[in-house]
Amino acid sequence: MNFVDTARIYVKAGDGGRGHSSFRREKFVPKGGPDGGNGGRGGDVVFRVDPHLNTLIDFRFKRKFLAKDGAAGSWARRTGRDGSNVVIRVPQGTLVRDAESQEVLADLTTANEQVVLMRGGQGGRGNAAFTSATNQAPRHQEPGIPGDERWLELELKLLADVGLVGFPNAGKSTLISVISAAKPKIADYPFTTLIPNLGIVSVAEDKSFVVADIPGLIEGASQGKGLGTQFLRHVERTSVLVFLIDARSADPKADYNVLRKELAQHNPDLDRKQRIICLSKVDELDEEEQAALKSLKIDRRTPLLISSLDGTNIDDLKWRMWKPLEEARA
């Protein structure tokens, strides 16, 4: 299935039904009073989180969602039937914005969560509602009130506890395949990962968390280079960021600074998240090269040397990911 994480749709709640104007007509009652009923209420636009969905691809094929109008009132003070709601199913983690003002209308993060975003219009009153002591035979009725309508922008942000960030081919996909059951595409060339991947990591019984692997960044990503920032939204909800830097890099410190700068330019909040710095693929270095890296300091931290191939420090990394999450949950 194709992964689509943005969409633009038009939604409209139902209009209220028109009120009715009529007079009671019965045998032996030639001039009965007004008995026109009110119109029915228009249907609402409802968003519902479907935990079985993981993409917004359905909105590529359907962009307009219209709730039903309320029915008109009728004689004998009959109120028109209310219009049915239109229910729009979205994945967990969907953000809904007004397309024009960019106001956030809903942040849908809970499975089966439901919210009414557009209200249907009220039905118009029939002429019976206008009867008074001074107006015994009103002929006036009201039209229904139009329902709300607007263009909306949908943005899917994956719900993960830990985000893996790094340059293309830094080993992120291999790492997530080792620490979880996720099976991303892995190859020895840049931009193998073209969509975000999620994996569930278990460190012990009743101790698990979700990791997101996003396509690799390059310098200038915040200005749209490479894959740009189209996938950075998927680490905005994380609590911990793991910076994965190739241990074979000529300058690991410079690589880290570039990654941190691109994240901060995309969203300053990302620069305030807890972070773990790892040097990956250490299995490809000899003992002398590994020893030299153990004395390296990046951002006043000693990076963790790991290898997804031979398992070096992988368990240590999993526990380092878990510790801040455990503290936050407590």
Side-chain angles (χ1 to χ4, degrees):
M1 178 183 290
N2 293 329
F3 183 83
V4 177
D5 55 3
T6 59
R8 180 182 171 94
I9 62 173
Y10 170 79
V11 298
K12 185 183 184 308
D15 296 340
R18 185 178 185 82
H20 185 70
S21 179
S22 61
F23 292 86
R24 191 170 74 251
R25 292 292 182 263
E26 299 176 16
K27 192 176 181 180
F28 309 120
V29 187
K31 294 183 178 180
D35 71 347
N38 300 335
R41 186 176 176 277
D44 298 329
V45 176
V46 181
F47 279 76
R48 180 181 299 159
V49 175
D50 186 338
H52 298 104
L53 296 178
N54 54 21
T55 174
L56 298 175
I57 193 170
D58 291 344
F59 299 102
R60 289 287 175 92
F61 310 106
K62 183 177 181 181
R63 294 177 180 268
K64 290 189 176 182
F65 296 84
L66 311 176
K68 296 294 185 182
D69 296 338
S74 186
W75 57 279
R77 297 179 182 258
R78 290 190 178 98
T79 299
R81 179 175 297 181
D82 291 342
S84 57
N85 299 336
V86 60
V87 179
I88 302 173
R89 299 183 306 120
V90 295
Q92 195 171 349
T94 300
L95 199 68
V96 184
R97 289 191 184 91
D98 181 285
E100 183 176 346
S101 69
Q102 292 298 298
E103 175 190 1
V104 175
L105 304 178
D107 191 1
L108 304 169
T109 59
T110 306
N112 301 310
E113 182 179 358
Q114 183 168 297
V115 60
V116 177
L117 288 188
M118 304 287 128
R119 294 286 182 181
Q122 290 294 328
R125 291 178 291 175
N127 68 329
F130 294 95
T131 305
S132 68
T134 58
N135 188 1
Q136 296 291 321
R139 296 182 178 275
H140 176 66
Q141 80 280 343
E142 293 177 327
I145 297 175
D148 297 333
E149 60 182 311
R150 65 177 80 185
W151 281 92
L152 300 176
E153 290 180 357
L154 309 183
E155 181 181 9
L156 175 61
K157 296 182 180 181
L158 298 180
L159 300 177
D161 301 300
V162 177
L164 304 181
V165 295
F167 290 138
N169 209 29
K172 301 186 302 299
S173 296
T174 304
L175 175 60
I176 199 172
S177 72
V178 168
I179 63 178
S180 75
K183 299 300 178 187
K185 181 180 178 182
I186 300 171
D188 192 21
Y189 54 84
F191 296 119
T192 305
T193 300
L194 298 177
I195 64 172
N197 294 296
L198 289 179
I200 299 177
V201 180
S202 177
V203 293
E205 187 176 357
D206 298 326
K207 291 185 169 91
S208 63
F209 55 92
V210 178
V211 172
D213 158 35
I214 67 169
L217 301 177
I218 64 172
E219 187 169 10
S222 56
Q223 282 78 48
K225 292 184 180 179
L227 293 177
T229 59
Q230 58 181 304
F231 295 117
L232 278 175
R233 65 175 64 92
H234 298 299
V235 294
E236 288 180 357
R237 299 186 193 272
T238 60
S239 299
V240 178
L241 294 177
V242 176
F243 288 78
L244 214 59
I245 300 169
D246 194 327
R248 301 167 301 175
S249 168
D251 194 342
K253 288 184 179 180
D255 290 351
Y256 168 78
N257 290 331
V258 169
L259 292 169
R260 184 175 177 182
K261 175 185 174 183
E262 296 301 330
L263 291 174
Q265 288 183 340
H266 170 73
N267 184 340
D269 289 340
L270 291 174
D271 198 41
R272 292 188 280 271
K273 292 184 182 294
Q274 296 197 56
R275 61 180 68 95
I276 300 169
I277 303 173
C278 295
L279 298 179
S280 63
K281 303 182 180 182
V282 296
D283 58 279
E284 299 184 17
L285 304 180
D286 58 33
E287 291 184 3
E288 184 177 342
E289 291 172 321
Q290 290 190 35
L293 289 177
K294 289 179 181 178
S295 61
L296 181 68
K297 292 287 185 180
I298 300 179
D299 197 13
R300 300 185 300 278
R301 296 173 170 86
T302 300
L304 182 67
L305 275 57
I306 67 169
S307 168
S308 300
L309 190 64
D310 64 18
T312 300
N313 290 328
I314 294 300
D315 286 339
D316 187 4
L317 174 59
K318 288 162 64 174
W319 281 104
R320 291 193 188 196
M321 294 177 181
W322 169 253
K323 184 176 179 181
L325 297 176
E326 184 178 40
E327 293 173 354
R329 293 176 185 182

